[in-house]
Amino acid sequence: MKKVIRLFVLVFALGLSSPGSVYAQEWGLQVKSFRRIAYGNQWSGGWSGGAVAANYWWPLHGNTYLETGLEFGFTGLATHTLALVGVQQFFPVSQKSWLVAGLQLPQGILLFRPSPLYMGGIGISAGAGYQLSPGFALSLQTGLRYYASPPYREYSPVYRYWDIPIELHVRFGRRIHQQTAR
Amino acid sequence: MNQPNYGKRHSGGWLRYQYLLTLACLLSACSYLGDPFLPRDARNRMHVTAEYIHIRSATGNPATKGLMFYPGGLVDPHAYLEWLDQLVTAQPDLQVVLVKAPANLAVFSPQRGKRLLGEFPEVRQWMVAGHSLGGTMACRLVNTNRNDFAAIILLAAYPTDSDNLSDWGGTVLSITGSADGLVSPDDISRRADLLPPSFPMTRPDDFPAELTNRTLYFQIAGANHAQFGSYGPQKGDNPAGISRPQQHSAMIELISNFTRELL
């Protein structure tokens, strides 16, 4: 796990210092499928669930963007609604394509009645995108996502999961094309 | 006079709208969360994984009879643990596998039960049970794996038209509640032709001489829909005429008798 975090930090640092153009849209929609790789401390493969999300990107510095959004989905625990906050770093490859890496902190609730339960997590992702038209782009991303619902521990010893998300992103809006500061 | 437009072709836009509406309903649906019941509360051995919860007697050799259980739609699976644990206590030669599903909807993984059979090689005979939508998915599982199961136990449930089990050689036990506000006797009788020939039971031990290709119907007086689990009142349901422990006792007695008679 430490190696993954170091690699992520390295990729991020390289991105901050590399000049070039970036293609990113202001807002987008995502469809996600979650492949489970572990729960608690136990390795276990299988399909965990899926989600849809709407996102908005705020320029921070050069090719770095603050990502915000809302995710509606379901996993082995229940359906959920999560607020997404994260950082995304774009790496231009050509005039129409890019690579992207990101860190997300999803926080929200599991939809239970009579009352919902808190669920939160952390995720890293990487992928590639392609500009189909000035206002429309597609990207495919994957990564690693950890999420847990500590209050659900009162109901089940299985309340923490590790998933590999496979995400299709559709990006809309004004095309951002800028040089980094350096 | 206006005719219903059942056969009318809808525009693509309307269909897309319907898909989006269905998706929105699914993603905003809340699951019923039961009363807390952890392995430490169980009288038997309970093992919880991401895909199932296994309950077996803490004493003796592993049981060779198995009951796979599909929870009701949008009901957290732990809501059934209390009475399933009591069932294993009443019948130690039975082990129970409670099948979990993404979003607590068995429609997302109706065949998970088939995959789990291989994890319990000591079990020689399997039954599958389900509550409400879980029962419907139990019928689907049996319809696609007809030789793997000896019986289906339906708790306030019935099969869909695509799962015609009328010629299936196994036995079905259909348990209903007289105070059920979500599954009516009409709902059950309308789907009777999708199941093997009927035998109405008058007592919990009133079994026919021949169980093969039979559907046994038993109604628990005063039982409602939500008390087939332990998750509190359910929207659309009627108040029960008996307490939850009484309903669970009646279910356990009936299922134990049925299992002893059949396996």
Side-chain angles (χ1 to χ4, degrees):
Chain A
M1 190 61 202
K2 278 182 182 172
K3 282 182 181 174
V4 174
I5 293 170
R6 279 182 195 154
L7 182 66
F8 181 81
V9 170
L10 179 68
V11 168
F12 217 79
L14 282 172
L16 284 174
S17 60
S18 66
S21 60
V22 62
Y23 293 85
Q25 261 57 40
E26 285 178 324
W27 67 282
L29 297 173
Q30 305 175 354
V31 181
K32 308 177 183 187
S33 178
F34 304 122
R35 299 295 305 180
R36 184 184 63 252
I37 54 168
Y39 63 90
N41 300 319
Q42 181 79 39
W43 292 105
S44 164
W47 181 57
S48 236
V52 294
N55 299 57
Y56 193 88
W57 287 272
W58 312 77
L60 280 181
H61 171 266
N63 294 341
T64 311
Y65 286 78
L66 174 69
E67 180 189 11
T68 56
L70 270 180
E71 177 184 299
F72 303 92
F74 60 92
T75 62
L77 292 172
T79 46
H80 64 248
T81 300
L82 297 174
L84 304 174
V85 180
V87 182
Q88 282 210 327
Q89 176 67 41
F90 291 86
F91 305 98
V93 174
S94 71
Q95 283 294 308
K96 287 194 168 185
S97 61
W98 69 84
L99 298 176
V100 62
L103 171 72
Q104 278 189 337
L105 293 167
Q107 302 293 313
I109 52 170
L110 284 171
L111 300 179
F112 278 120
R113 55 175 104 188
S115 47
L117 300 180
Y118 164 76
M119 182 170 97
I122 185 168
I124 54 172
S125 64
Y130 190 79
Q131 193 76 40
L132 292 169
S133 71
F136 182 72
L138 283 178
S139 71
L140 197 62
Q141 287 182 213
T142 186
L144 186 64
R145 176 153 136 158
Y146 168 81
Y147 59 95
S149 174
Y152 193 66
R153 189 167 42 178
E154 202 177 311
Y155 299 88
S156 173
V158 177
Y159 63 97
R160 295 177 294 150
Y161 286 83
W162 291 89
D163 283 349
I164 292 178
I166 297 163
E167 308 175 357
L168 176 68
H169 296 206
V170 184
R171 295 165 187 263
F172 304 100
R174 181 169 58 88
R175 190 173 90 174
I176 300 165
H177 180 182
Q178 65 184 65
Q179 296 292 321
T180 52
R182 291 172 216 190
Chain B
M1 195 173 98
N2 289 333
Q3 294 295 320
N5 63 347
Y6 298 129
K8 191 176 173 181
R9 197 173 165 187
H10 294 293
S11 71
W14 169 242
L15 281 177
R16 273 196 295 274
Y17 175 74
Q18 281 185 314
Y19 286 134
L20 284 175
L21 199 65
T22 306
L23 185 66
C25 288
L26 164 69
L27 296 177
S28 61
C30 294
S31 292
Y32 286 95
L33 190 57
D35 298 335
F37 190 88
L38 288 166
R40 65 167 180 258
D41 304 318
R43 288 183 231 172
N44 299 286
R45 280 187 194 160
M46 191 179 291
H47 177 55
V48 186
T49 76
E51 297 198 340
Y52 64 86
I53 302 169
H54 180 219
I55 310 168
R56 77 173 183 88
S57 175
T59 56
N61 294 324
T64 56
K65 301 172 187 173
L67 174 69
M68 199 157 278
F69 188 89
Y70 279 50
L74 293 173
V75 179
D76 184 81
H78 303 85
Y80 298 91
L81 286 180
E82 188 182 2
W83 76 262
L84 286 172
D85 181 50
Q86 291 169 6
L87 175 67
V88 173
T89 302
Q91 198 168 353
D93 61 344
L94 181 74
Q95 48 181 302
V96 173
V97 178
L98 175 53
V99 183
K100 294 182 173 183
N104 295 319
L105 286 167
V107 286
F108 283 124
S109 53
Q111 298 302 320
R112 183 170 280 181
K114 167 70 177 172
R115 197 154 46 80
L116 293 178
L117 293 180
E119 299 215 8
F120 307 94
E122 69 278 12
V123 175
R124 299 277 173 251
Q125 288 174 298
W126 281 101
M127 301 183 293
V128 59
H131 174 217
S132 200
L133 179 66
T136 304
M137 291 302 109
C139 291
R140 178 149 307 163
L141 177 70
V142 171
N143 193 29
T144 48
N145 306 279
R146 287 181 166 232
N147 297 322
D148 291 326
F149 298 93
I152 305 172
I153 300 172
L154 298 174
L155 306 177
Y158 47 81
T160 58
D161 292 341
S162 59
D163 296 313
N164 189 333
L165 293 163
S166 57
D167 61 343
W168 179 54
T171 312
V172 180
L173 173 62
S174 175
I175 307 174
T176 54
S178 65
D180 194 324
L182 295 168
V183 175
S184 68
D186 265 3
D187 294 327
I188 299 292
S189 61
R190 271 206 305 272
R191 272 77 172 198
D193 58 343
L194 297 170
L195 294 170
S198 304
F199 178 85
M201 296 172 69
T202 53
R203 297 186 318 275
D205 57 355
D206 174 28
F207 294 100
E210 181 56 59
L211 287 169
T212 305
N213 189 232
R214 277 292 174 98
T215 302
L216 319 179
Y217 290 92
F218 187 83
Q219 187 180 73
I220 302 174
N224 72 359
H225 198 81
Q227 287 190 167
F228 282 110
S230 304
Y231 53 90
Q234 186 166 354
K235 196 176 173 186
D237 200 8
N238 294 322
I242 56 175
S243 69
R244 192 168 75 197
Q246 284 174 322
Q247 183 164 336
H248 288 178
S249 292
M251 290 153 55
I252 290 166
E253 182 189 3
L254 188 57
I255 293 171
S256 295
N257 290 346
F258 175 69
T259 308
R260 286 193 198 101
E261 191 76 17
L262 183 76
L263 305 179

